């Protein structure tokens, strides 16, 4: 009897695979791409434990254990890059959730559909542009002879400010521009979550005498909390990725003290100084820390709110 049930299950699986064979064929390019560019490079992490020499290869390069990790942790620039990465990532994660949350709640109260769609489109547009384009726009806007200095500062009778070479302002520009670029995407996600809230909850709140603010506070926010949790977990996974492409394009040596991050340090170690083993060790360190943050945040959400991804 048990054998017959097993055979039936196998037959059902075969039929299911046959019916969806076109979908599985469509997955092949994605699987190959992921395998080649995401999984095969993992074997290169062996460099983090070697004194890697390109001409000697992985097999012949001498094994040095944790020597590369000791080297990067004692580098004078490591502490500065690590602190900058944590500060920039923290504010990016918090603001990339808080700003779209506020914007989505405000748009949800708009009754004119044409205005609501227009705002969504406008705030979503920067998401589709690369940092090469957006960085050029931002550098022109905040340049010494740019729009801010020639119009806003002049209008209020203030002297021009060199924003792009100031350690006081440049980090804020980096964080603000990243939030501006991604807020449209997160706003759409949160608006979709808001539209899925059960309307009967609002009706019950109105019967109890709740106004619009209390409805938002006691109905909307608790209902979209799972989506906020997902965005938080995804953000914590990138806690040590403070925006390499953005900073590399906008970076200049004058503001190195406040915007030099681990990714730019890895870039200089690997591509400029040709210290491939040290760069691999720092990359592995980043991955381990990110894994710890994701695992911890997921565990907290699971224990406190019974949230599950799968």
């Amino acid at each position: 009897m048990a054998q017959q049930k097993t055979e039936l299950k196998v037959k059902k699986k075969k039929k299911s695979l046959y019916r969806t064979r076109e979908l599985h064929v469509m997955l092949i390019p994605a699987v190959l791409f992921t395998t080649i560019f995401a999984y095969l490079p993992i074997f290169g992490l062996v460099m983090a434990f070697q004194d890697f020499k390109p001409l000697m290869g992985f097999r012949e390069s001498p094994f040095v254990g944790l020597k590369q990790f000791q080297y990067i942790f004692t580098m004078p620039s490591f502490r500065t890059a690590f602190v900058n990465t944590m500060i920039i990532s923290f504010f990016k994660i918090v603001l990339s959730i808080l700003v779209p949350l506020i914007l989505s709640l405000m748009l949800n109260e708009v009754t004119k559909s044409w205005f609501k769609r227009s705002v969504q489109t406008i705030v979503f547009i920067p998401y589709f542009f690369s940092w090469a384009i957006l960085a050029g726009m931002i550098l022109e806007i905040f340049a010494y002879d740019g729009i801010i200095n020639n119009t806003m500062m002049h209008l209020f009778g203030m002297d021009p400010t060199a924003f792009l070479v100031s350690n006081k302002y440049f980090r804020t520009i980096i964080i603000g521009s990243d939030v501006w670029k991604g807020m449209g995407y997160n706003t759409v996600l949160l608006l979709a979550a808001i539209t899925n809230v059960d309307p009967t909850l609002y009706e019950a709140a109105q019967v109890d005498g709740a106004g619009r603010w209390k409805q938002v506070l006691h109905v909307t926010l608790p209902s979209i909390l799972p989506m906020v949790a997902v965005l938080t977990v995804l953000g914590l996974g990138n806690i040590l990725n403070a925006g390499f492409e953005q900073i590399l394009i906008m970076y200049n040596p004058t503001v190195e003290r406040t915007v030099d991050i681990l990714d730019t340090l890895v870039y200089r170690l690997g591509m400029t100084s040709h210290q491939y083993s040290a760069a691999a060790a720092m990359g592995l360190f980043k991955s381990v820390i990110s894994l710890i943050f994701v695992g911890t945040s997921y565990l907290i959400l699971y224990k406190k709110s019974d949230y599950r991804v799968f």
Side-chain angles (χ1 to χ4, degrees):
M1 188 69 178
Q3 186 176 359
Q4 290 179 350
K5 289 183 178 180
T6 303
E7 290 178 355
L8 287 172
K9 288 182 180 180
V10 172
K11 287 181 179 180
K12 287 182 179 180
K13 286 183 180 180
K14 288 182 178 180
K15 288 182 180 179
S16 177
L17 288 172
Y18 182 77
R19 285 196 300 268
T20 58
R21 60 189 182 280
E22 294 89 354
L23 298 176
H24 287 87
V25 171
M26 291 173 63
L27 281 174
I28 291 176
V31 172
L32 289 175
F33 183 87
T34 304
T35 302
I36 294 172
F37 293 101
Y39 288 102
L40 289 181
I42 291 176
F43 294 102
L45 290 176
V46 70
M47 287 192 298
F49 306 95
Q50 295 178 326
D51 183 13
F52 179 74
K53 306 295 182 184
L55 296 179
M56 299 176 66
F58 295 119
R59 294 184 178 181
E60 302 298 329
S61 295
F63 179 80
V64 296
L66 300 178
K67 182 180 178 180
Q68 299 297 342
F69 292 92
Q70 294 174 353
Y71 169 67
I72 63 173
F73 291 151
T74 55
M75 290 175 59
S77 55
F78 174 79
R79 184 177 181 276
T80 301
F82 182 77
V83 171
N84 289 337
T85 301
M86 295 298 293
I87 293 173
I88 294 173
S89 296
F90 173 78
F91 282 104
K92 281 186 176 182
I93 292 171
V94 172
L95 294 176
S96 65
I97 296 174
L98 184 61
V99 173
L101 179 60
I102 295 172
L103 182 59
S104 61
L105 292 175
M106 293 173 62
L107 287 176
N108 187 54
E109 301 300 319
V110 175
T111 56
K112 300 293 184 181
S113 59
W114 64 268
F115 180 78
K116 187 175 181 178
R117 289 195 299 269
S118 300
V119 173
Q120 288 183 59
T121 302
I122 291 171
V123 299
F124 208 162
I125 288 175
Y127 180 79
F128 295 102
F129 290 104
S130 68
W131 272 117
I133 297 173
L134 293 181
M137 295 169 56
I138 294 166
L139 293 177
E140 286 294 327
I141 291 171
F142 289 96
Y144 192 78
D145 57 348
I147 297 174
I148 299 295
N149 280 319
N150 284 340
T151 58
M152 300 297 294
M153 303 293 283
H154 180 73
L155 182 65
F156 291 100
M158 301 172 66
D159 296 329
T161 302
F163 294 104
L164 300 179
V165 293
S166 171
N167 285 296
K168 181 179 179 181
Y169 298 108
F170 195 76
R171 183 188 286 169
T172 304
I173 294 173
I174 290 292
I175 296 171
S177 58
D178 185 81
V179 174
W180 168 62
K181 183 180 188 297
M183 70 178 184
Y185 179 80
N186 288 342
T187 299
V188 170
L189 293 179
L190 292 171
L191 274 174
I194 292 174
T195 56
N196 288 327
V197 177
D198 190 354
T200 58
L201 296 176
Y202 292 108
E203 295 173 1
Q206 288 176 354
V207 171
D208 291 337
R212 294 303 302 173
W213 170 247
K214 288 189 176 181
Q215 289 179 39
V216 170
L217 193 62
H218 298 290
V219 177
T220 306
L221 287 177
S223 299
I224 66 174
L225 188 60
M227 178 57 69
V228 175
V230 170
L231 295 177
T232 304
V233 172
L234 294 176
L236 288 174
N238 294 317
I239 188 67
L240 293 186
N241 296 328
F244 169 68
E245 183 182 0
Q246 175 196 14
I247 293 177
L248 183 67
I249 294 173
M250 300 175 64
Y251 173 89
N252 64 78
T254 311
V255 292
E256 180 178 342
R257 180 169 57 87
T258 53
V259 296
D260 188 29
I261 59 174
L262 291 177
D263 284 327
T264 53
L265 183 57
V266 169
Y267 176 80
R268 293 200 303 272
L269 284 173
M271 303 302 293
T272 305
S273 303
H274 306 293
Q275 300 181 54
Y276 303 112
S277 293
M282 192 169 295
L284 180 58
F285 166 75
K286 283 182 57 213
S287 299
V288 171
I289 297 298
S290 298
L291 179 62
I292 292 172
F293 271 100
V294 170
T296 303
S297 61
Y298 179 81
L299 182 62
I300 293 173
L301 289 171
Y302 174 71
K303 295 293 185 181
K304 296 297 182 181
S305 59
D306 196 28
Y307 168 76
R308 300 182 183 183
V309 177
F310 302 106

